[in-house]
Amino acid sequence: MAYDADAITVLKGLEPVRERPGMYIGSTGPSGLHHLVYEVVDNSVDEALAGQCSRIEVTILPDGACRVRDNGRGIPVGMHRDYPDKSALEVVMTVLHAGGKFGGEGYKISGGLHGVGVSVVNALSRRLEVEVCREGGRFALTFVDGGKPVGEIRRIGDSSTTGTMVTFWPDGSILEETDFRAQTLVERLREMAFLTRGLEIVFRDERPSEPVEHVFCFEGGISDFVRHLNASKEALHSLIVSFREEVGEGEVDIAMQWNTGYYEGIHSFANNIATTEGGMHEEGFKKALTNVLNKYARAKGLLKEKEDNLLGEDIREGLTAILSVKLRNPQFEGQTKAKLGNTEMRSIVEKATNERLAQWFEEHPVDGKIIVSKAGQAARARIAARAAREATRRKSLLESAGMPGKLADCSSRNPELSELFIVEGDSAGGSAKKARNPEFQAILPIRGKILNVERARPDKMLKNEEIQALITAIGAGIGADFDLSKARYHKIICMSDADVDGSHIRTLLLTFFYRQMPELVKAGYVYAAQPPLFRVDLGKDTHYLKDEGALERFMGEHSNRKIDPQRFKGLGEMDWEELGATTMNQATRTLLQISVSDAAIADDVFSVLMGEDVDARRTFIQHNAKDARFIDI
Ligand code: 0RA
């Protein structure tokens, strides 16, 4: 069967998308907005996976629209079998699930988070223009108001090439925000380029007076990804372990390298979608990894007969790995549909890893010995850390009510209502204690900068007093023992100054939560307080304004009047009433919820921010300092 206009199967119209956008793009916030871009790009990447496209350009236009152009085959433009009066292009753009991937024929393997296709983007755009080059012509069609076609498809010229160009203006009446954030797009597009070896992805932001451009193309594929993730760390051995196997209609692609750090960074993908909840492919990989290393260590006498086997967690300490599988009918399960359910993938990945990794170790005895020795050290540190944890637990039982002395706890014992404010400095801590509602707001003052957990061994970290106080106050344990259901507060709010030091302290705290209590972050329990930057007294009234933008707007609204704004330099400058009214009172404050949508990207950001590489950190901060949302990864 010719795969063309006829292969497009039709399921339903676009109204459901506008009625329940969350079902299709996850949320109507920033993550949903960026999802629209990925949905279009995914279609172009599918063309690349089918061997039909080598270049994708993503451009944010000066007026805020997003344009995605590829050199694939172009969306079919002929009349559609099931809709005699409509072109296939119109059907693809206005009918859910009509992307051409559902007929069985056509794409062997395709990505896309929900596989709903580019029509969802149309449904959520106030305007969308599509141009296709195909069959010697250039064709155009425009839609407005969430997918209403303006006339019919028109042939607007000749063309000797093929490809698709989609330009869309997100609909601000449905999406909470329509401003694309360049850094978010850059990170995800770079990730897509790593995952699709040899595909060129260009990103251009034309909003600034001097447009910014990035070109991503990685001939090394996921090996380059691992090199990139480890670039801000110190590699334990120079080579990157990598192997790729075609299995049936799919493939398994693995690259890995250990670094001298203490955290595990295994990032798995299925059809280019991040499987942050793991799944069968990851299970198979971990099982084989533990097996291969123990066998190798015993065979080479690096592990003595009377010694215990190395545990998986010992072996994975400091490991950066990318595991990317492609398969025909991926089953996504789990709370966020980010867990691969296909059972056959477990044995396929396990078998490939058992064979190819064992072979690699045989061929690289010098690296092999270094890696096994690192795992041995991790095992000894694990035993020491357990002892330190036990000591923390015993010590906290001896103290009054088991809680740290500095904690001003709340009286409520209902975690859903309870909030913990982590406050920098004793003076701000004092104001916060006066301003709080003691029934459900607890205050934990911390002194200055807490330990950087990115660079400390787990047993050393557990001996740190501020860290101990945090663990005890939250009450849910730490690391592998962490139990979300024991968390004593469902809002944990980092309250620090709006200056550079304050943002460093906040980043140290977030690093600690992300590395040691990732479930807490994923559950959405972690927040940053947003103290205002300005105070303006007008007559009898006092106004608090959160940033320069708000101050400018306020001055614009009161342009008859003389305004003398006071700038807060830190939390300590506010009296307790002010702190309460602006930052703590539930009725008047704003909180920023910390989210982690992509663990590989978050891992990268934290390594850069907190790791050894000073230059990388400086560059990152210079690029992101102006954007207050940067902590919202
Ligand atoms: C349906 C069928 C074919 C390609 C496409 C859709 C297609 C969609 C998009 C969206 C963005 N870029 C795209 N490129 C292609 C197959 C066409 C054929 O067999 O020639």
Side-chain angles (χ1 to χ4, degrees):
M1 176 175 115
Y3 186 69
D4 211 320
D6 281 356
I8 293 163
T9 24
V10 173
L11 299 176
K12 51 184 158 148
L14 287 183
E15 304 86 76
V17 184
R18 289 179 71 82
E19 273 163 32
R20 312 177 89 185
M23 293 246 311
Y24 297 87
I25 55 166
S27 85
T28 52
S31 121
L33 173 72
H34 293 95
H35 191 95
L36 299 182
V37 182
Y38 309 146
E39 195 63 55
V40 184
V41 174
D42 279 341
N43 284 276
S44 303
V45 172
D46 284 351
E47 282 289 285
L49 292 176
Q52 304 287 345
C53 163
S54 61
R55 181 182 159 93
I56 302 172
E57 282 171 41
V58 179
T59 309
I60 306 302
L61 300 180
D63 71 352
C66 172
R67 170 171 291 169
V68 180
R69 185 209 299 260
D70 68 49
N71 64 354
R73 286 168 292 189
I75 303 176
V77 291
M79 284 296 136
H80 194 278
R81 179 187 52 186
D82 303 328
Y83 292 81
D85 57 335
K86 283 191 170 63
S87 64
L89 177 64
E90 183 176 333
V91 173
V92 165
M93 299 308 302
T94 56
V95 181
L96 275 182
H97 299 298
K101 307 174 196 170
F102 286 75
E105 291 279 327
Y107 292 113
K108 204 167 81 173
I109 283 165
S110 78
L113 185 53
H114 302 93
V116 281
V118 67
S119 58
V120 165
V121 179
N122 200 10
L124 299 176
S125 295
R126 62 183 166 83
R127 182 181 180 87
L128 182 145
E129 299 172 0
V130 54
E131 264 187 50
V132 169
C133 290
R134 205 183 147 96
E135 293 157 25
R138 176 187 292 272
F139 302 85
L141 184 56
T142 295
F143 303 84
V144 293
D145 301 334
K148 298 193 184 78
V150 181
E152 288 178 7
I153 186 168
R154 288 180 303 136
R155 192 187 149 119
I156 56 170
D158 296 335
S159 175
S160 55
T161 58
T162 64
T164 304
M165 180 170 93
V166 174
T167 311
F168 65 96
W169 288 258
D171 191 337
S173 71
I174 294 187
L175 299 157
E176 287 153 38
E177 216 177 303
T178 53
D179 249 0
F180 292 106
R181 182 178 169 254
Q183 190 64 21
T184 300
L185 295 173
V186 164
E187 281 157 3
R188 173 64 184 146
L189 293 174
R190 185 199 291 129
E191 182 175 275
M192 284 179 168
F194 280 129
L195 291 167
T196 318
R197 185 190 308 266
L199 172 65
E200 182 178 351
I201 301 184
V202 180
F203 173 75
R204 202 176 304 117
D205 186 357
E206 294 184 350
R207 291 170 299 182
S209 49
E210 276 186 45
V212 182
E213 186 178 278
H214 298 265
V215 181
F216 301 119
C217 183
F218 302 104
E219 294 303 335
I222 60 168
S223 293
D224 288 344
F225 198 171
V226 168
R227 198 168 291 118
H228 169 82
L229 288 172
N230 270 349
S232 55
K233 303 175 175 134
E234 193 189 337
L236 183 69
H237 53 110
S238 56
L239 289 174
I240 291 183
V241 190
S242 78
F243 45 90
R244 185 157 49 131
E245 284 209 359
E246 313 247 328
V247 264
E249 282 175 313
E251 67 169 49
V252 177
D253 198 1
I254 295 178
M256 56 208 254
Q257 185 189 41
W258 277 263
N259 59 64
T260 56
Y262 309 114
Y263 293 97
E264 163 187 333
I266 297 180
H267 302 293
S268 64
F269 298 83
N271 292 5
N272 287 359
I273 297 161
T275 36
T276 47
E277 295 180 76
M280 293 299 164
H281 53 339
E282 223 178 282
E283 275 184 29
F285 172 68
K286 287 182 180 171
K287 190 164 168 220
L289 179 67
T290 308
N291 174 47
V292 168
L293 259 101
N294 275 299
K295 268 197 183 148
Y296 178 78
R298 296 237 180 252
K300 301 292 170 203
L302 302 168
L303 201 58
K304 301 281 172 309
E305 214 169 305
K306 57 176 191 332
E307 289 179 290
D308 284 336
N309 261 359
L310 300 163
L311 298 189
E313 59 184 271
D314 305 331
I315 291 166
R316 297 194 296 268
E317 188 190 276
L319 174 65
T320 298
I322 301 292
L323 162 58
S324 168
V325 301
K326 304 252 163 65
L327 67 169
R328 197 180 168 100
N329 286 308
Q331 305 294 316
F332 292 105
E333 300 172 349
Q335 282 218 310
T336 56
K337 295 263 172 280
K339 183 174 181 177
L340 186 67
N342 303 57
T343 47
E344 75 276 11
M345 267 298 144
R346 184 172 41 203
S347 51
I348 289 175
V349 177
E350 188 181 336
K351 184 162 175 285
T353 308
N354 267 327
E355 290 171 10
R356 304 289 299 271
L357 190 61
Q359 187 190 339
W360 190 90
F361 271 87
E362 280 304 328
E363 290 167 3
H364 300 87
V366 176
D367 301 63
K369 197 171 167 188
I370 298 173
I371 293 164
V372 170
S373 142
K374 155 108 175 146
Q377 282 169 28
R380 286 188 287 281
R382 163 170 54 83
I383 293 160
R386 179 145 306 151
R389 256 201 313 270
E390 284 301 322
T392 311
R393 217 171 279 154
R394 267 196 305 277
K395 186 165 161 241
S396 61
L397 283 175
L398 293 175
E399 283 171 17
S400 68
M403 284 298 132
K406 293 194 292 181
L407 175 75
D409 210 356
C410 54
S411 51
S412 165
R413 284 290 163 262
N414 180 349
E416 281 176 44
L417 301 179
S418 304
E419 305 180 340
L420 175 67
F421 283 84
I422 303 167
V423 189
E424 164 201 357
D426 287 336
S427 82
S431 301
K433 278 182 200 166
K434 276 197 199 145
R436 71 179 177 143
N437 180 330
E439 206 182 312
F440 54 82
Q441 294 185 320
I443 310 293
L444 181 67
I446 53 162
R447 197 162 310 137
K449 299 193 174 162
I450 68 157
L451 182 79
N452 178 359
V453 301
E454 191 75 27
R455 290 198 253 172
R457 258 210 178 269
D459 50 324
K460 182 174 162 223
M461 174 192 78
L462 286 165
K463 291 197 183 111
N464 181 280
E465 218 173 285
E466 313 286 338
I467 300 269
Q468 280 184 5
L470 277 168
I471 300 169
T472 319
I474 293 168
I478 189 164
D481 300 334
F482 185 82
D483 180 354
L484 185 67
S485 69
K486 294 217 178 88
R488 299 176 60 247
Y489 315 91
H490 284 194
K491 283 203 174 75
I492 291 160
I493 303 163
C494 308
M495 188 157 84
S496 61
D497 287 339
D499 60 7
V500 177
D501 273 351
S503 103
H504 188 206
I505 288 167
R506 188 175 55 212
T507 314
L508 287 165
L509 280 167
L510 295 182
T511 307
F512 169 69
F513 290 130
Y514 177 69
R515 292 302 191 193
Q516 293 295 333
M517 306 182 177
E519 290 89 346
L520 199 70
V521 185
K522 285 184 198 151
Y525 289 4
V526 181
Y527 296 80
Q530 301 262 271
L533 268 187
F534 298 99
R535 173 191 158 138
V536 173
D537 293 315
L538 261 194
K540 279 206 179 72
D541 297 327
T542 298
H543 303 262
Y544 296 99
L545 301 164
K546 75 172 178 21
D547 55 21
E548 271 90 0
L551 179 64
E552 242 166 65
R553 272 193 298 282
F554 185 86
M555 309 252 267
E557 284 160 24
H558 299 85
S559 52
N560 308 339
R561 305 193 55 172
K562 181 172 157 14
I563 286 169
D564 182 21
Q566 178 201 344
R567 191 191 171 101
F568 292 115
K569 293 209 191 62
L571 296 168
E573 263 182 35
M574 288 184 209
D575 59 39
W576 67 269
E577 280 129 324
E578 264 172 342
L579 186 67
T582 61
T583 316
M584 294 176 68
N585 183 333
Q586 292 183 339
T588 47
R589 71 187 182 191
T590 3
L591 293 181
L592 188 66
Q593 190 174 38
I594 306 301
S595 66
V596 173
S597 50
D598 189 318
I601 291 169
D603 191 351
D604 195 20
V605 170
F606 280 117
S607 304
V608 170
L609 274 176
M610 292 296 148
E612 317 273 354
D613 189 334
V614 180
D615 282 340
R617 176 160 60 239
R618 188 175 310 125
T619 315
F620 182 91
I621 292 173
Q622 281 166 354
H623 280 101
N624 291 281
K626 282 203 214 76
D627 192 341
R629 287 181 296 169
F630 88 88
I631 53 168
D632 181 20
I633 40 176

